[in-house]
Amino acid sequence: MSVLTPPRSAQSQPPSGRNARSASGARENFSAWANRHRKWLFAAPAMIFVGVLIIFPLAWTLYLSLTDSQGSVRAASEFVGLENYLTVLSDVERFWPAVGRTLSFTGVALVCEVVLGMCIALLLWRPFRGEKWVRVAILLPLVATPVAVGMMWRLIFDPNIGFVNQLLGMVGIPPQPWLSGQDTALGTTIFMDVWQWTPMVVLILLAGLTSLSEEPDEAARMDGANAFQRFFFITLPLMMPTVIVAILLRGIDALKTFDILYATKGKGGGSFHEVETLNVYAYGLSFDYNQYGLSSAVLILFFMIIIGSMWLLTMRKKAVSK
Amino acid sequence: MKRRSIVQYAAVAAALSLGLTACGGASGSSDAKAAGTVRVTLANHVWTEGIKAAIPEFEKSSGLKVELTQLGEDQLSDQYNVKLNAGSDEIDVMMYRPLQEGKAFAKNGYLADLTSKVSSDSGWDWKDYQEGPVKATTADGKVVGVPIITEREVLYYRKDLLKAAGLEVPKTMEELEAAAKAIKASSPDTAGFVARTGKSAAVTQFSSFLYSFGGDFTDASGKSAVNSEEAKKAYAFYGGLIKNYGPANVSTDMSWPEAMAIFTQGKAAFYTEADSLYKNATDPAKSKVADTVGFAALPAGPAGSKPYNIPSWGLAVNEASGNQDNAWKFIQWATSKERTLAAQKAGVPGPRSSVWADPAGTSTYPKDLAEAISTSAKNGVGHDRPEVVTVGKAREIVGGPIVATITGEDASAAADTAHDAFQKFLDSEKK
């Protein structure tokens, strides 16, 4: 503090001239102003950050979605109003199937991850021998890069030289198309997502479980409730807020999934767009077709879907917390 | 005391955030120019490996420093899309695909005009470049790139399997089908034929079949021709070969790495692919069948043997770069006769006539491959995909019937569907 604060003697020294007086006056004024607005001043860097990195890109995307921008974003483009939205919303070939895939990918992956995550978290809840090692093993998929995960599974699921089909061959089961099949590809990518992200759900649920108070459970035990009854009537209701947090966090991520899909099936989500979600579709529109207007419209609609579903979940969480 | 400190803390915070922004923007072209640095972005390719090893030579002789960024094909495209779109001057020299991105880049004004530069140095000799590649790197009469790698589609085959089955190397498409059938029948574990199957990826290799059957993607007036009788036959033939004689459980997402892997694992007898990838098949470190691979010109269809003969990669200068003279110096060196010969000896077919005429230029090639290349260079077609601005979308449309046929649908109906979509696409590009 003493370094930052001038000695009192310096402050009380008479100003040596008109300039000095006005300068010190201005400084006093600024200082007073800064103190009055200090909550804004301190928040300013964060606000600039949010403005530059979140609000500006969003606003720019919104603007682009109302133009016929294509080829280059610097090229002249015309304002076309809601035309892009109409084009996108009436597109039953790529857009609506992509919406369907996005929602089913997220829905199925979430259910699997939460159910599996809850089972694993319950297993890890009570201390046991070798617990540390088991925890490390369970967390391993979480630290791997999604693109690398995609590449790895792509090799494992290769129809001709992949490990899984060779393993199946050993027990006499004919090779399956996994990632290359039109009907099986989406399911296979969901499996990869579950493999990679269940650990995160386990982490969240385990944190919730360990913070639960033991008393209701003990009381129920005294009353003769069995393990299932205690789980469904005591633990699960108490865990609901944590479960919803897990669903919320994982849900946003699953909706946005891109890397696993792109690494395994490439542009367009495969030859039949079999794993093309909204994200992959918008990416293709931007980077392969250079149709920035259309792509932006898809992204804005996607953004609204995300906001909408998150709003619903938050409402649910509030209701549960009450 | 407290009041003062708030102002000072705030000032530090503001200065810091401004400072960070300033750092981000500081790597402008003026600095690079002053320091004599050329920023070069290249794709992962055998050609790049050769140039990378030789860069110290260039740095020594020119006094310039080279800052190299190396990326995979798709990442490279995305990088250009973002940086060139933003008008960034952070790239000086760029390796690009003239047939894939050339038209779009030229239309958007991303590529600097090199016309006066290419004709300024007679020793470097622009006239030495083959006509097809030059056409592909010229836009609206202006030279916007220098081709570095050329490609033709050839037939890769397994000598041992053919010998065991008592078959000759197929000269026509019918012979190819018969041979593939015979091999698949005699050993069900080995595919008779393999090639790319991905909707977009297969288009370039399918194109040679299309031309050899007498078709093309568009007709002379620029209208869609993907449902012509010839095209329908070509779709049915290419898709049928893979469906009937291809690997079991064939995936419809194969690009060259996957198809090449099946061939080099010894699981297929015939494979049609770009000649520039031959090292993958003849290098014992990568291929189980390195000793028994043979090469031949693409078998002749009803219209003869008409493979594509194209420049797959070129070098260009970013229009927004403030360092264009140094960028040109790099290109001039990287595409010189000596460097082209060295690259060609390392297995990269180049675009210079003099290097092809020089026996040293083909000395390292398998004899049958060199012959196949010289035949293909004569009767080759100068494009391997629709010549449009949004090539990505066009490839997906005209590639549709390929995958449809592989999965057992009717080629003719799929071609009609593709025709409507392609014509609509062509109309939208004209607007």
Side-chain angles (χ1 to χ4, degrees), chain A residues 37-52, chain B residues 10 13-14 17:
Chain A
H37 298 95
R38 61 177 175 269
K39 66 176 177 187
W40 293 110
L41 268 180
F42 278 112
M47 275 155 54
I48 293 171
F49 179 85
V50 169
V52 170
Chain B
S17 59

Side-chain angles (χ1 to χ4, degrees), chain B residues 95-144:
Chain B
M95 182 163 166
Y96 79 115
R97 292 172 289 177
L99 292 166
Q100 183 76 16
E101 296 136 346
K103 277 206 172 188
F105 283 6
K107 191 178 166 212
N108 295 337
Y110 295 163
L111 307 177
D113 181 3
L114 303 176
T115 315
S116 60
K117 290 195 164 84
V118 293
S119 50
S120 64
D121 181 359
S122 58
W124 175 78
D125 199 3
W126 181 232
K127 290 202 179 70
D128 189 23
Y129 278 80
Q130 293 169 356
E131 195 187 320
V134 165
K135 208 179 122 208
T137 55
T138 307
D140 299 327
K142 288 179 201 157
V143 177
V144 291

Side-chain angles (χ1 to χ4, degrees), chain B residues 54-76:
Chain B
I55 280 177
E57 269 172 42
F58 170 71
E59 290 184 324
K60 210 171 154 196
S61 65
S62 65
L64 295 168
K65 211 182 144 337
V66 175
E67 232 174 71
L68 182 68
T69 311
Q70 204 180 328
L71 295 162
E73 256 177 60
D74 284 342
Q75 286 70 33
L76 189 79

